[in-house]
Amino acid sequence: MIKAAVIGATGYTGAELVRILSRHPEVELVALTSRSCAGTPYYQVYPHLYKYIEKECQALDLKSLVAESDVIFTALPHGHSMEIAAEVVKQGKKMVDLGADFRLNSVQQYESWYKVEHQMPDLLPQAVYGLTELNRNKISSSTLVANPGCYPTTALLGLAPLINNKLIDVSSIIIDSKSGVSGAGRKLSLKTHYSEVNENFQAYGVAAHRHTPEIEQELCKLAGEEVTISFTPHLVPMTRGMLSTIYASLTKEMNQEQINSLYQEYYSGEYFIRVLPPGVLPQTKALAGSNFCDLAVTLDSRTGRVIILSAIDNLVKGASGQAVQNMNVMFGLDEKLGLDMVGIYP
Amino acid sequence: MIKAAVIGATGYTGAELVRILSRHPEVELVALTSRSCAGTPYYQVYPHLYKYIEKECQALDLKSLVAESDVIFTALPHGHSMEIAAEVVKQGKKMVDLGADFRLNSVQQYESWYKVEHQMPDLLPQAVYGLTELNRNKISSSTLVANPGCYPTTALLGLAPLINNKLIDVSSIIIDSKSGVSGAGRKLSLKTHYSEVNENFQAYGVAAHRHTPEIEQELCKLAGEEVTISFTPHLVPMTRGMLSTIYASLTKEMNQEQINSLYQEYYSGEYFIRVLPPGVLPQTKALAGSNFCDLAVTLDSRTGRVIILSAIDNLVKGASGQAVQNMNVMFGLDEKLGLDMVGIYP
Amino acid sequence: MIKAAVIGATGYTGAELVRILSRHPEVELVALTSRSCAGTPYYQVYPHLYKYIEKECQALDLKSLVAESDVIFTALPHGHSMEIAAEVVKQGKKMVDLGADFRLNSVQQYESWYKVEHQMPDLLPQAVYGLTELNRNKISSSTLVANPGCYPTTALLGLAPLINNKLIDVSSIIIDSKSGVSGAGRKLSLKTHYSEVNENFQAYGVAAHRHTPEIEQELCKLAGEEVTISFTPHLVPMTRGMLSTIYASLTKEMNQEQINSLYQEYYSGEYFIRVLPPGVLPQTKALAGSNFCDLAVTLDSRTGRVIILSAIDNLVKGASGQAVQNMNVMFGLDEKLGLDMVGIYP
Amino acid sequence: MIKAAVIGATGYTGAELVRILSRHPEVELVALTSRSCAGTPYYQVYPHLYKYIEKECQALDLKSLVAESDVIFTALPHGHSMEIAAEVVKQGKKMVDLGADFRLNSVQQYESWYKVEHQMPDLLPQAVYGLTELNRNKISSSTLVANPGCYPTTALLGLAPLINNKLIDVSSIIIDSKSGVSGAGRKLSLKTHYSEVNENFQAYGVAAHRHTPEIEQELCKLAGEEVTISFTPHLVPMTRGMLSTIYASLTKEMNQEQINSLYQEYYSGEYFIRVLPPGVLPQTKALAGSNFCDLAVTLDSRTGRVIILSAIDNLVKGASGQAVQNMNVMFGLDEKLGLDMVGIYP
């Protein structure tokens, strides 16, 4: 059994890690830390796990926690995972960081977009960007995985087949993304206050969201050239789910069938990517609680653009599910272990 | 492997059966019937099951379907399961009916509340009311199980410990129930049209809902005397979940601790009943996708009443989950098999 | 023009006062106070009022604010209106308090339920309970009106015709109420965090909610005897709207028609009470943004109970609309002035 | 008083017309027609209007209805307004068609996108496209106004200042739109069934929606050249509201301030267009029930694009409100009459 600890277990991505790991046949949860709830039984914070989790939330004692664990999941706001990573590496354990601290390869980019100093720049070169399908080999031999952001997960999985094959104009990419409210976490804010969000739809972070450099960095690796995108996130009055609508101009003429084939082949071995059959479009509800990414690509022949629809459950494939998927890869397990969950519909 | 067929597989309870049975380790799905979608791949009707279900929906050929199945689940409107049951019994197979045709012991009651003739009154005596926790022994030796309605499930599980011990005045029972919209099924209706239901709350079927005689019949068995209740269902603008608030006057003085102990003991061996710890109240969201019933009972000492809160996922413990639980019991399997699902939260 | 000030203008009941008063033909808004937003243009807090309100939020300077106003609305948490009332009375102005400080006639009751000391017990005798339809005469000559709570508004309007005519057993009353989330205000709390509330239904304050003594006090006045009730509030995943389902046993036999007539006659002159025609049940959505209370009463002949459905928009008839209705009465204006708003549907 | 008739009064845009017109100081409603509800009191179909509308729904007797009316509103599916228009023109009355039959100037375009024959092509030249702010003069002297679609309203108002001044590359325009469910009307459909739509987000009509040629036609008039766009509509799990996110590349360098000024000036005399102050972004909830269009434009300096956010209430400015605005213009009334409604928030 792999001994796993979750640091930041009472946020939503933490709770989703606990839900998944509590049912994982090869994992034993050894510690759930929470600054705000230390000493409280976990089921009092999350009653859906009553009878599944007996543990109390505990305060973080870093050294001993790392010592008793094989793998540490950090589900913390940015800026809080760097010292933890240093201790994990020092003790030779493995870590999946669900935050942003190790996603950007460039310290300058990180500090410019996140407005905090990076305390462990020396660790950046060994951090692997954990979009499992695109980076599986590196992840399998890594000890420090930077789990992708939810928006980048949809954008990169949606664009990879085309951009990797140099079939789109990299200056034409527009990513219009829509997210459920749980992506903003459990921290209180007027932006996530029920009466403000319900029956409301709005954009935020226009031309300024921190996932922009992350998407560009990884697209650049796939394209082999610099990529600058327009990215607009929106808040949807629902709890879970994310859908990105992605626009790009083709650089060579393709018909709808060729596009379908390209996607089917590119992801042919990937269990968690479902290229939907013609006539079926992604919908977030079909993914609730599951680790799939559903894709459909439409040729807009009037304009020469493709319109890519890419949907996930933001808390699963967009966060905790992919983190466990990465753990499975890091430990040489079947990638699907503990993750083969059907979405709840309706 | 148990060969299972679902008749009426494209309604919501049918789809939930398919979701659960597709992951059940001892079940093989042999047929999914649908009048409206025969010939269509099931995943086109329910894309969340894409890659899980390859089967097409098929028209119902009753004799051959029963012949190739060990157990038949009927997820149909009332009035449509009677002939199917006759064939199942004739061929010596097992059946769980999720509709209302075999819930009421009295033909007169059935015909008076449901306004259709009962075509198989001879089968009624062998039908067992499938509230698993209250009727396990009979279910285990039964071939025809009448799966309870969702409202009765909450009401009966909530009241059983008190009424079974003659601790409440049976003339004082008021059941005020609230259900998510999925309980009304997938059939189109203005009552389930999004813009009519969203941001709306209303009662329906006041003093006239068909689950009334079902609740009274089973309460009567528990009480050993006639019981007449007031029951009011309401529609909540959410998809899944049901909570009943039940009021009853104590016939003897009890304190809060005694009430808690009564419930803890009454359900001490029951995996799917969670009597919540003091200070935690049921909430439907903690149950989404799970087969639990969560209970909390509060003593209203000012009035001498108890206020019982009883919550379930209406499609799982209120329908398809309990149906599979009953199947497990009928086949001598571990009752939890295929049903040990954590709720999705948030 | 009546000069009106709103103290606590950035909470939801404050904002609703501003919305209504900004369109009131006889009112001039002279001040909007807010502790947290002083100095901010009001439209930045509430963009729906952009182009309607030019004013900035201001800090509270009590003496001068009262001096420049004819009427003061206080939309504050309990405990904060007492000193303001003293100043208003001293300067001979009028006040409508939307909080709880002057609702209970008994200082002991107030302090026992609200856990704070009442600082102005001498003012209690002159405070009038502002359920307009039941108390119009007293309100018209009052300077200090205690605007009712939202739950009591539904309960009292629903029960008045029967209890006032001694037609129900006062020990049998059960009030099962369901409220939209805006009733909990704009203050951040996990209980109103979108992802916790959405797709969730739950009870709260079971047998312990502070509106209980308020309902009992006013029912007692209507009944002419002591009344003890069971009252359970619930939270509905919607923003606006409240519906109470009220159960009571008849003390004398009545048929459905007699009940209908009783309600039609009792409220025959009341513009804002709509006793719905037979076959139509109240639904909260039909009331969104309006000052109506919709009522329907069903006889449950099997049990001898009546089931009363009483619905309002909790922010309008349940708070700010009724406050303006009271102001109209206090100033001798047409009661409908500024309030004749059709609900927004769907 | 202007005598107005609403043909198709029981759909959502019909009901919204009735809500607005019932409060309009210069209008008398003379007839409400409905095929499905003829003979039913209107308040039974729409209880929010109980006490406001005494009329029954009536079957359509076209000649006499036109004879007794000064203006006819048609709120019908496409294909049903053409013969009505002929009668209106014949009798010299005025008409506002909320459907699509007179929006496209080209019969070929209409028949190719809508798949029905146009029965009154001779009337097309006299039909005026009723986007009030962009077409006021023509509307004022028109008898037949084609009220714009909801999506085109957001797109055209959002793009007009830039495209009319030749500041954007017309081949770069991408319109990513999101609509509440009420836009799909009251007609039953699985696409608007509560449990399918709630907690779900999805695109539809990708690269194929019928509002595409309407947007292009009007953009072409503003640009003075052919315009081809990409347009993707999405369904948001909320009842009311629409927001379009529009991307376009600038043809000349501008800074954020210059863009703000351009919009402020372009719409300086327009009551119903609110160019939001810097730092405030449109949100659909701030517009619920109101006739405003809220706009904000952000320069994405990294890509040289503008990102325009344009929001409305789809049933008001996107349909019935604009229809009444057009009626006001057609009859020489103050354009705001009956329409100066504050949005309901929260």
Side-chain angles (χ1 to χ4, degrees), chain A residues 181-193:
Chain A
V181 181
S182 64
R186 196 164 174 258
K187 188 153 167 284
L188 300 183
S189 144
L190 206 54
K191 284 284 172 211
T192 51
H193 193 58

PDB file of all heavy atoms in Angstrom, chain A residues 181-193:
ATOM      1  N   VAL A 181     -18.417  26.957 -10.301  1.00  0.00           N
ATOM      2  CA  VAL A 181     -17.946  27.808  -9.213  1.00  0.00           C
ATOM      3  C   VAL A 181     -16.986  27.089  -8.267  1.00  0.00           C
ATOM      4  O   VAL A 181     -16.159  27.717  -7.610  1.00  0.00           O
ATOM      5  CB  VAL A 181     -19.163  28.359  -8.434  1.00  0.00           C
ATOM      6  CG1 VAL A 181     -18.748  29.273  -7.309  1.00  0.00           C
ATOM      7  CG2 VAL A 181     -20.096  29.109  -9.382  1.00  0.00           C
ATOM      8  N   SER A 182     -17.036  25.769  -8.214  1.00  0.00           N
ATOM      9  CA  SER A 182     -16.154  25.059  -7.287  1.00  0.00           C
ATOM     10  C   SER A 182     -14.686  25.281  -7.618  1.00  0.00           C
ATOM     11  O   SER A 182     -13.828  25.119  -6.748  1.00  0.00           O
ATOM     12  CB  SER A 182     -16.466  23.563  -7.277  1.00  0.00           C
ATOM     13  OG  SER A 182     -16.209  22.997  -8.546  1.00  0.00           O
ATOM     14  N   GLY A 183     -14.405  25.676  -8.857  1.00  0.00           N
ATOM     15  CA  GLY A 183     -13.031  25.992  -9.225  1.00  0.00           C
ATOM     16  C   GLY A 183     -12.440  27.124  -8.407  1.00  0.00           C
ATOM     17  O   GLY A 183     -11.220  27.233  -8.262  1.00  0.00           O
ATOM     18  N   ALA A 184     -13.285  27.956  -7.855  1.00  0.00           N
ATOM     19  CA  ALA A 184     -12.794  29.064  -7.019  1.00  0.00           C
ATOM     20  C   ALA A 184     -12.563  28.623  -5.581  1.00  0.00           C
ATOM     21  O   ALA A 184     -12.156  29.427  -4.738  1.00  0.00           O
ATOM     22  CB  ALA A 184     -13.784  30.221  -7.057  1.00  0.00           C
ATOM     23  N   GLY A 185     -12.804  27.373  -5.294  1.00  0.00           N
ATOM     24  CA  GLY A 185     -12.454  26.845  -3.982  1.00  0.00           C
ATOM     25  C   GLY A 185     -13.473  27.116  -2.897  1.00  0.00           C
ATOM     26  O   GLY A 185     -14.565  27.616  -3.149  1.00  0.00           O
ATOM     27  N   ARG A 186     -13.070  26.757  -1.691  1.00  0.00           N
ATOM     28  CA  ARG A 186     -13.975  26.828  -0.538  1.00  0.00           C
ATOM     29  C   ARG A 186     -13.770  28.108   0.267  1.00  0.00           C
ATOM     30  O   ARG A 186     -14.506  28.384   1.200  1.00  0.00           O
ATOM     31  CB  ARG A 186     -13.725  25.608   0.359  1.00  0.00           C
ATOM     32  CG  ARG A 186     -14.817  25.332   1.380  1.00  0.00           C
ATOM     33  CD  ARG A 186     -14.656  23.934   1.913  1.00  0.00           C
ATOM     34  NE  ARG A 186     -15.566  23.639   3.000  1.00  0.00           N
ATOM     35  CZ  ARG A 186     -15.213  23.635   4.293  1.00  0.00           C
ATOM     36  NH1 ARG A 186     -13.965  23.919   4.651  1.00  0.00           N
ATOM     37  NH2 ARG A 186     -16.094  23.344   5.219  1.00  0.00           N
ATOM     38  N   LYS A 187     -12.786  28.888  -0.118  1.00  0.00           N
ATOM     39  CA  LYS A 187     -12.525  30.133   0.587  1.00  0.00           C
ATOM     40  C   LYS A 187     -13.685  31.103   0.333  1.00  0.00           C
ATOM     41  O   LYS A 187     -14.119  31.297  -0.800  1.00  0.00           O
ATOM     42  CB  LYS A 187     -11.218  30.750   0.066  1.00  0.00           C
ATOM     43  CG  LYS A 187     -10.736  31.942   0.842  1.00  0.00           C
ATOM     44  CD  LYS A 187      -9.215  32.072   0.730  1.00  0.00           C
ATOM     45  CE  LYS A 187      -8.777  33.437   1.245  1.00  0.00           C
ATOM     46  NZ  LYS A 187      -9.074  34.525   0.266  1.00  0.00           N
ATOM     47  N   LEU A 188     -14.149  31.746   1.392  1.00  0.00           N
ATOM     48  CA  LEU A 188     -15.291  32.654   1.253  1.00  0.00           C
ATOM     49  C   LEU A 188     -14.904  33.899   0.455  1.00  0.00           C
ATOM     50  O   LEU A 188     -13.816  34.435   0.609  1.00  0.00           O
ATOM     51  CB  LEU A 188     -15.806  33.055   2.636  1.00  0.00           C
ATOM     52  CG  LEU A 188     -16.285  31.904   3.517  1.00  0.00           C
ATOM     53  CD1 LEU A 188     -16.832  32.442   4.836  1.00  0.00           C
ATOM     54  CD2 LEU A 188     -17.321  31.046   2.814  1.00  0.00           C
ATOM     55  N   SER A 189     -15.826  34.345  -0.358  1.00  0.00           N
ATOM     56  CA  SER A 189     -15.606  35.533  -1.182  1.00  0.00           C
ATOM     57  C   SER A 189     -16.938  35.959  -1.755  1.00  0.00           C
ATOM     58  O   SER A 189     -17.815  35.118  -2.016  1.00  0.00           O
ATOM     59  CB  SER A 189     -14.615  35.195  -2.303  1.00  0.00           C
ATOM     60  OG  SER A 189     -14.949  35.884  -3.489  1.00  0.00           O
ATOM     61  N   LEU A 190     -17.110  37.249  -1.951  1.00  0.00           N
ATOM     62  CA  LEU A 190     -18.355  37.708  -2.554  1.00  0.00           C
ATOM     63  C   LEU A 190     -18.530  37.094  -3.938  1.00  0.00           C
ATOM     64  O   LEU A 190     -19.658  36.863  -4.392  1.00  0.00           O
ATOM     65  CB  LEU A 190     -18.345  39.241  -2.628  1.00  0.00           C
ATOM     66  CG  LEU A 190     -19.707  39.926  -2.645  1.00  0.00           C
ATOM     67  CD1 LEU A 190     -20.584  39.517  -1.481  1.00  0.00           C
ATOM     68  CD2 LEU A 190     -19.537  41.438  -2.653  1.00  0.00           C
ATOM     69  N   LYS A 191     -17.436  36.807  -4.597  1.00  0.00           N
ATOM     70  CA  LYS A 191     -17.495  36.227  -5.946  1.00  0.00           C
ATOM     71  C   LYS A 191     -18.049  34.805  -5.948  1.00  0.00           C
ATOM     72  O   LYS A 191     -18.367  34.255  -7.006  1.00  0.00           O
ATOM     73  CB  LYS A 191     -16.089  36.208  -6.564  1.00  0.00           C
ATOM     74  CG  LYS A 191     -15.613  37.560  -7.048  1.00  0.00           C
ATOM     75  CD  LYS A 191     -16.291  37.934  -8.372  1.00  0.00           C
ATOM     76  CE  LYS A 191     -15.992  39.371  -8.798  1.00  0.00           C
ATOM     77  NZ  LYS A 191     -17.104  39.954  -9.563  1.00  0.00           N
ATOM     78  N   THR A 192     -18.097  34.178  -4.780  1.00  0.00           N
ATOM     79  CA  THR A 192     -18.642  32.822  -4.710  1.00  0.00           C
ATOM     80  C   THR A 192     -19.796  32.735  -3.710  1.00  0.00           C
ATOM     81  O   THR A 192     -20.174  31.655  -3.283  1.00  0.00           O
ATOM     82  CB  THR A 192     -17.544  31.814  -4.302  1.00  0.00           C
ATOM     83  OG1 THR A 192     -16.886  32.312  -3.121  1.00  0.00           O
ATOM     84  CG2 THR A 192     -16.514  31.662  -5.392  1.00  0.00           C
ATOM     85  N   HIS A 193     -20.326  33.887  -3.343  1.00  0.00           N
ATOM     86  CA  HIS A 193     -21.484  33.971  -2.455  1.00  0.00           C
ATOM     87  C   HIS A 193     -22.707  33.558  -3.279  1.00  0.00           C
ATOM     88  O   HIS A 193     -22.917  34.054  -4.386  1.00  0.00           O
ATOM     89  CB  HIS A 193     -21.602  35.422  -1.983  1.00  0.00           C
ATOM     90  CG  HIS A 193     -22.547  35.639  -0.840  1.00  0.00           C
ATOM     91  ND1 HIS A 193     -22.416  35.003   0.367  1.00  0.00           N
ATOM     92  CD2 HIS A 193     -23.630  36.440  -0.719  1.00  0.00           C
ATOM     93  CE1 HIS A 193     -23.384  35.409   1.189  1.00  0.00           C
ATOM     94  NE2 HIS A 193     -24.134  36.277   0.550  1.00  0.00           N
TER      95      HIS A 193
END
